[in-house]
Amino acid sequence: MAGHVLEVEDLWVKYYTMSGVVHAVSGVSFKLRRGEMLAVVGESGSGKSTLAYALMNMVPKPGKIVRGRVLLGGVDLLTLMTEELRKVRGSRISIVFQDPFTTLDPLRRVVDQFTEFLMEHGLDKATALRVAREYTEAVGLPERVLESYPHQLSGGQKQRVAIAMAISLSPEVVIADEPTTALDVIVQKQIMDLIDDVRRKYKSSFILITHDLALALERADTVMVMYGGYVMEYADKSELVRDMRHPYTRALLESLPRLGQRGLPSFLPGYPPDLRNPPSGCVFHPRCPLAREKCRAEQPQLVEVSKGHYVACHYAGVVK
Ligand SMILES: Nc1ncnc2c1ncn2[C@@H]1O[C@H](COP(=O)(O)OP(=O)(O)OP(=O)(O)O)[C@@H](O)[C@H]1O
Ligand code: SF4
Ligand SMILES: [Mg+2]
């Protein structure tokens, strides 16, 4: 049986701001198989990016990982020292951001940034140049892109460069945080096709972070739905499509724009909670059409309702 490349256990992250403690990620656990694509789905503010940062052990201040383990090949990244972490980031676990300028300095040639990144991970200059060329080609870019400055490239080209860098050291896990949100619809599809190709070719595992449930259902093997920092539902895609249980997942599905209107903002009544002061009981109860008294008082645990299908809802058994 294929082992798990990544095991995340009971991860909690909080931001200690002047106006209070933000409970951004609360008790998230999951396992990722080799070559698997897991989609993490949820509205704005549900804790997706914070989770991504925590997996890289790079939560920005004033955030702090307060509990949990992130086991990559059995080693807990949360216990590593800065120097060890620097080696692991980029080579064994890497991230593609929504805005490629987070990765790329607009004022330095792509080739210099790419080779410098590789040399920081121990490659000599000639090998770094060869690898940079190889991966530039692998993501469908002409070699001349290497000589360009990022500001001379289109959004799609920049995101291809960011993906090339993220995969160039063959990491076991690549996290892509809304990698296509800033791009137009046609380029979005090209980049997602590229991610699919790369995943098959290099057998990397991907964590695709997106607010778009339709995209998750189209591309992922497994889907994890987050709301208010908690996992609401987690299952293989086919199981989720067959037997969607959580009222929030269903609301997300119902709020999707109809065919032909993809890309338009979706609408779900109400607002996500203020995570400085989350609702009592089930964090979704103020917006849940099925909320009852118990939901206000008691927080539902994430339970396995059928093999590999987890749901956090008091009434998941009856909500069919
Ligand atoms: N640097 C920060 N300082 C304080 N609070 C933060 C910080 N970054 C995120 N938060 C808060 O943490 C919570 C989770 O935010 P996060 O950015 O992880 O959500 P997200 O699901 O990625 O949202 P989006 O879809 O908008 O990117 C939110 O309440 C947000 O306001
Ligand atoms: S526990 Fe209650 S409020 Fe929460 S999702 Fe289930 S029915 Fe809705
Ligand atoms: Mg985000």
Side-chain angles (χ1 to χ4, degrees):
M1 197 189 88
H4 293 106
V5 286
L6 185 73
E7 297 183 48
V8 177
E9 293 175 0
D10 198 27
L11 195 58
W12 296 73
V13 186
K14 300 185 195 301
Y15 292 98
Y16 295 87
T17 71
M18 302 286 270
S19 57
V21 179
V22 182
H23 303 267
V25 170
S26 300
V28 171
S29 301
F30 65 90
K31 291 179 180 176
L32 195 65
R33 295 183 305 271
R34 180 153 193 242
E36 175 181 344
M37 170 147 350
L38 165 71
V40 179
V41 188
E43 286 168 286
S44 185
S46 56
K48 307 180 300 293
S49 295
T50 304
L51 173 64
Y53 287 127
L55 299 181
M56 304 281 293
N57 195 358
M58 54 186 273
V59 173
K61 282 198 171 93
K64 213 170 170 245
I65 299 170
V66 293
R67 201 195 301 173
R69 303 209 295 169
V70 177
L71 299 163
L72 182 67
V75 176
D76 185 359
L77 299 188
L78 306 185
T79 64
L80 297 185
M81 295 294 155
T82 317
E83 185 53 24
E84 293 170 304
L85 258 180
R86 206 185 53 78
K87 283 191 202 144
V88 169
R89 283 193 206 123
S91 69
R92 298 194 53 203
I93 182 164
S94 63
I95 186 160
V96 177
F97 296 98
Q98 174 176 338
D99 176 2
F101 282 139
T102 311
T103 309
L104 297 169
D105 177 346
L107 301 176
R108 292 178 59 223
R109 287 188 315 161
V110 171
V111 67
D112 298 331
Q113 299 186 58
F114 205 153
T115 53
E116 184 180 286
F117 162 74
L118 295 168
M119 286 157 70
E120 276 170 9
H121 283 91
L123 274 62
D124 62 59
K125 190 156 190 177
T127 313
L129 195 56
R130 184 178 55 70
V131 171
R133 285 201 183 113
E134 180 188 330
Y135 280 87
T136 304
E137 192 189 330
V139 298
L141 290 171
E143 200 180 312
R144 66 181 151 72
V145 162
L146 281 170
E147 301 307 320
S148 313
Y149 292 86
H151 74 82
Q152 296 172 318
L153 304 177
S154 69
Q157 287 175 320
K158 283 193 287 262
Q159 208 51 316
R160 281 176 195 267
V161 173
I163 292 168
M165 287 174 73
I167 62 170
S168 59
L169 291 166
S170 309
E172 289 108 300
V173 180
V174 182
I175 303 168
D177 188 358
E178 305 269 11
T180 63
T181 309
L183 306 172
D184 71 53
V185 179
I186 293 169
V187 184
Q188 276 181 14
K189 184 179 177 314
Q190 291 168 353
I191 295 293
M192 282 312 305
D193 288 346
L194 170 65
I195 287 176
D196 275 344
D197 288 349
V198 165
R199 179 163 72 106
R200 294 217 169 80
K201 186 166 170 197
Y202 299 101
K203 306 216 165 28
S204 306
S205 309
F206 268 81
I207 299 178
L208 172 70
I209 292 180
T210 176
H211 58 274
D212 185 346
L213 180 62
L215 184 74
L217 293 176
E218 187 183 330
R219 302 284 180 166
D221 303 309
T222 329
V223 178
M224 186 164 91
V225 179
M226 284 184 75
Y227 183 81
Y230 288 87
V231 176
M232 297 281 118
E233 186 158 18
Y234 174 50
D236 279 356
K237 185 214 0 224
S238 51
E239 163 69 10
L240 193 68
V241 169
R242 194 184 65 77
D243 188 19
M244 196 173 274
R245 292 283 189 105
H246 200 284
Y248 179 60
T249 318
R250 289 163 165 249
L252 274 184
L253 187 74
E254 277 158 24
S255 72
L256 286 177
R258 299 288 160 238
L259 199 66
Q261 296 184 308
R262 276 246 349 239
L264 291 177
S266 57
F267 175 74
L268 184 66
Y271 298 97
D274 176 357
L275 294 183
R276 282 168 306 183
N277 189 16
S280 62
C282 174
V283 74
F284 185 53
H285 88 249
R287 295 171 82 189
C288 182
L290 300 160
R292 305 176 200 181
E293 204 41 52
K294 185 178 180 183
C295 307
R296 279 175 270 278
E298 229 179 90
Q299 190 189 327
Q301 299 300 308
L302 193 66
V303 292
E304 195 170 14
V305 291
S306 59
K307 195 168 171 0
H309 186 170
Y310 296 83
V311 184
C313 171
H314 293 307
Y315 302 104
V318 292
V319 182
K320 273 231 167 191

